[in-house]
Amino acid sequence: MRSHLRQVLLQEALLPEPFNDDDRRQALMAFAQEHGLVNADALERFRLSHVLSHGALAFLMELPIRLQRHCERLYRVKAEARFLERKQQLDVVIYSLLRLEDEGLAKELYFQLQDGEANFSDLAALHAQGHERSTRGIVGPVPLTQAHPLLVERLRTAPVGEVQEPFLIDRWWVLFRLESLTAASFDEAMARQMSQELFDQWLEQGVQARLDALRPLLLPADPQPQP
């Protein structure tokens, strides 16, 4: 039901957006390139394999352009305010990480790194006990706030390129080195992202409102007490 209502609301919001023949040609070319569809027969096979009506396929192809225009028209003016609210969550970080359960080993590896006796990637591949072992210690680029809150605090203030002393997070002794921290900026790409987020927020609220309105009709009535 939620998926169906989302699709209904998408169509109600986006179908009124102006759309001409040039737009349709552009949408078709972009869709065919994205899905590797080389001719009309390939497009038809795609439609049949996904059990789409011709109208549903057309809407799917036109969706990116319609959505971009809708967000630009209604939400672009609110995008910068949204960005300022979310800025700290949008900063992007790359760091080296090594987690261990043994405090003594963590301190030993820290001194090896400080003295230049080993490099971070080799030690992470040999000793890390978290998922970073498979990436030789490298994490990112990822949003800064994706990390544990205690690590986020230290990443914000750590000098780039300096291994930090081990500290405890839950059961892990953590060593890290900040590789780069890129502060989010409000450019055109960010404006589009914020506009899209505002539309997604409106869409989810709309779906929930319709679900709430339908719920009394879908739930069975309370049984009447027997005399």
Side-chain angles (χ1 to χ4, degrees), residues 100-171:
L100 300 154
E101 291 184 313
D102 187 323
E103 179 184 5
L105 179 58
K107 290 181 177 179
E108 178 185 336
L109 297 183
Y110 168 72
F111 290 125
Q112 288 184 25
L113 292 167
Q114 283 286 88
D115 296 339
E117 298 175 4
N119 65 65
F120 211 113
S121 61
D122 289 342
L123 292 184
L126 287 171
H127 299 287
Q129 294 175 300
H131 61 79
E132 70 277 2
R133 183 169 189 163
S134 63
T135 62
R136 299 182 68 85
I138 290 293
V139 179
V142 293
L144 176 59
T145 52
Q146 183 173 306
H148 190 284
L150 294 177
L151 180 55
V152 169
E153 292 179 11
R154 295 176 183 245
L155 284 167
R156 286 196 184 279
T157 58
V160 173
E162 293 186 14
V163 179
Q164 303 300 300
E165 290 189 41
F167 66 101
L168 192 61
I169 296 181
D170 299 329
R171 64 188 178 93

Side-chain angles (χ1 to χ4, degrees), residues 3 8 16 47 133 136 139 159 180-181 187 216:
S3 176
V8 169
R47 184 184 74 82
R133 183 169 189 163
R136 299 182 68 85
V139 179
S180 69
L181 176 59
D187 55 14

Side-chain angles (χ1 to χ4, degrees), residues 21 46 55 64 66 74-75 77 81 99 106 112 126 133 147 199 209 227:
D21 289 340
F46 178 93
R66 289 183 180 276
L74 292 184
Y75 299 104
V77 295
R99 287 178 291 180
Q112 288 184 25
L126 287 171
R133 183 169 189 163
F199 173 76

Side-chain angles (χ1 to χ4, degrees), residues 49-69:
S49 67
H50 289 78
V51 198
L52 296 170
S53 68
H54 290 285
L57 177 61
F59 182 72
L60 184 62
M61 290 190 293
E62 297 168 5
L63 179 59
I65 295 176
R66 289 183 180 276
L67 180 58
Q68 181 179 339
R69 288 180 179 172

